Amino acid sequence: MREVIWHGRGGQGAFTAARLLGAAASLAEGRFVLAFPSFGPERRGAPIRAFTKMDDAPIGDRSASAQADFVVYLDDTLLDEDWQRELKPGGSVLVNSARAYDDPRIVSVDADGLSSAVLGRPIPNTAFLGALAALDDRASLADVHEAVRLYMPEKLHAKNLVIIDAVYAQFDPARGGTAAEGDPACAGLVAGDPAGAAVAAEGDLARAGVAGARSQDASGEGALPVGPYPAAKPRPVSRAAGVRIPTLRSGSLDPDYARTTCFEAGYLVAKNAGWRSLRPVIDAAACTGCLQCYLYCPDGAIFKASAADMAAPPASSQAPATRAPRAATPAQAVFVDYDFCKGCGICVKACRFGALFLVSERQEQRETSEVAE
């Protein structure tokens, strides 16, 4: 039996990829396939898993795969230190990343870069169908093409076939796909020049009237402010024991409109388990200290600390993005506790002053890793 474990986030299409691979592998005579997801009512961005099982005999085991021949990570922030536990001997890990890994078992595919160039936004799932078609004989490139045509909306066929063939050609240039041949959107990538592919694809996107990539909120509606960190990053500050925003009933906060309707958010008891792909950052110049972000935060991940707390040694390597409120409370600052922040973006929506925006968790982890090295 050949097995594939798919790791992704809600909205990245991990289950769609698992189904398409299964559909492709089932087209040949005498092949049997199972494809199924493992997730509950998670929102967009939450970690999920999916599985594809392929065999020459009926598959009776319908449980989740513990180990697989291929483990695919549609988001490289989900690749943790224990990644080897899911890999069968001789297996490979495919990661959506532009970086190179020291371990030869980990193979990078810049699926976000390619899909952004061709589709206008990062949807990495179909890129790995091209990689798996080249690396494994269970699903041929022609069968993957057929599965896309059978199970994806017609309007998505052409560009996704471009992505699949471009990645296939990267792994097996001698058998490069038909859609990639002569296609300006993939010419640079097939030749080993991702930048050239992106430039060529921009022309295709302009002709097709496709808008650029944008960050969406949990409902998929509307754009959230996304931007880079400011030039000077704030010093790491950890939430000290006892540091809490005063409750409305304590007397220190007493807005008439919220006396009986707003309460202090509860703290989570388990740390963030990889939910976040974007992290909120508080802009110093714009923050008024109004605490609307705190009141709307569903996980109690926003708090205030005094100047003394800010001077304390950090307890975590994660660097909270902090900004001091205006002169009304000069001894206090508003913080985000990244141990419990899931990156839902609700605080960004709630801020009326444009003081919150989102940055890439992937980029932050890379910068933190580079500083540590």
Side-chain angles (χ1 to χ4, degrees):
M1 181 187 296
R2 201 65 52 85
E3 297 175 89
V4 181
I5 298 175
W6 301 80
H7 289 273
R9 296 186 181 278
Q12 288 187 312
F15 180 39
T16 296
R19 286 193 305 113
L20 289 172
L21 177 63
S26 68
L27 292 174
E29 187 71 25
R31 294 290 176 89
F32 298 85
V33 172
L34 285 178
F36 54 95
S38 174
F39 58 83
E42 288 88 350
R43 61 161 178 82
R44 180 179 293 270
I48 68 103
R49 293 195 303 165
F51 308 90
T52 307
K53 295 184 177 185
M54 301 167 283
D55 205 349
D56 295 329
I59 302 172
D61 182 1
R62 297 176 178 270
S63 63
S65 300
Q67 290 187 313
D69 302 276
F70 296 96
V71 183
V72 180
Y73 290 86
L74 300 185
D75 189 314
D76 60 0
T77 63
L78 298 174
L79 181 67
D80 59 26
E81 296 178 353
D82 297 326
W83 59 268
Q84 299 180 60
R85 73 186 185 280
E86 290 186 332
L87 195 63
K88 291 181 181 179
S92 298
V93 171
L94 303 178
V95 185
N96 176 17
S97 177
R99 61 172 289 192
Y101 291 87
D102 294 333
D103 196 307
R105 292 172 294 177
I106 304 179
V107 182
S108 296
V109 177
D110 188 12
D112 273 358
L114 177 58
S115 59
S116 293
V118 178
L119 299 175
R121 54 180 177 151
I123 305 179
N125 58 344
T126 54
F128 290 94
L129 297 176
L132 290 168
L135 295 173
D136 187 64
D137 60 1
R138 287 283 166 171
S140 69
L141 182 64
D143 288 339
V144 170
H145 280 212
E146 184 65 16
V148 167
R149 295 189 181 100
L150 287 173
Y151 297 105
M152 293 188 79
E154 185 177 355
K155 64 181 181 181
L156 303 179
H157 291 175
K159 290 183 179 179
N160 278 284
L161 292 177
V162 165
I163 293 171
I164 290 167
D165 284 2
V167 176
Y168 183 92
Q170 277 190 300
F171 284 89
D172 191 354
R175 296 187 295 165
T178 56
E181 293 174 2
D183 193 304
C186 291
L189 187 103
V190 174
D193 180 12
V199 172
E202 285 175 5
D204 295 341
L205 295 173
R207 288 193 296 273
V210 179
R214 68 187 179 95
S215 172
Q216 294 183 329
D217 63 15
S219 66
E221 299 177 355
L224 293 174
V226 178
Y229 271 116
K233 283 191 179 182
R235 183 183 181 279
V237 179
S238 59
R239 172 154 38 182
V243 175
R244 301 173 71 90
I245 297 178
T247 62
L248 289 164
R249 294 189 175 189
S250 68
S252 55
L253 289 177
D254 193 22
D256 291 337
Y257 73 90
R259 181 187 296 273
T260 60
T261 58
C262 296
F263 303 92
E264 183 175 35
Y267 285 12
L268 296 180
V269 295
K271 289 188 177 182
N272 169 44
W275 278 59
R276 191 173 59 243
S277 57
L278 295 171
R279 64 167 55 192
V281 174
I282 305 173
D283 184 357
C287 180
T288 66
C290 70
L291 300 183
Q292 288 297 302
C293 54
Y294 158 76
L295 291 172
Y296 279 92
C297 177
D299 295 318
I302 296 177
F303 66 104
K304 269 190 175 181
S306 67
D309 295 314
M310 293 175 65
S316 171
S317 61
Q318 289 187 329
T322 65
R323 295 294 184 272
R326 294 181 180 174
T329 53
Q332 291 184 314
V334 179
F335 293 82
V336 178
D337 188 337
Y338 293 117
D339 280 341
F340 301 112
C341 170
K342 290 193 175 82
C344 66
I346 290 175
C347 58
V348 178
K349 283 276 193 178
C351 182
R352 296 172 295 172
F353 302 98
L356 277 149
F357 59 95
L358 298 171
V359 299
S360 167
E361 184 70 18
R362 176 182 298 169
Q363 182 62 31
E364 172 60 23
Q365 288 190 9
R366 286 178 184 170
E367 292 182 8
T368 302
S369 176
E370 290 171 1
V371 170
E373 292 174 358

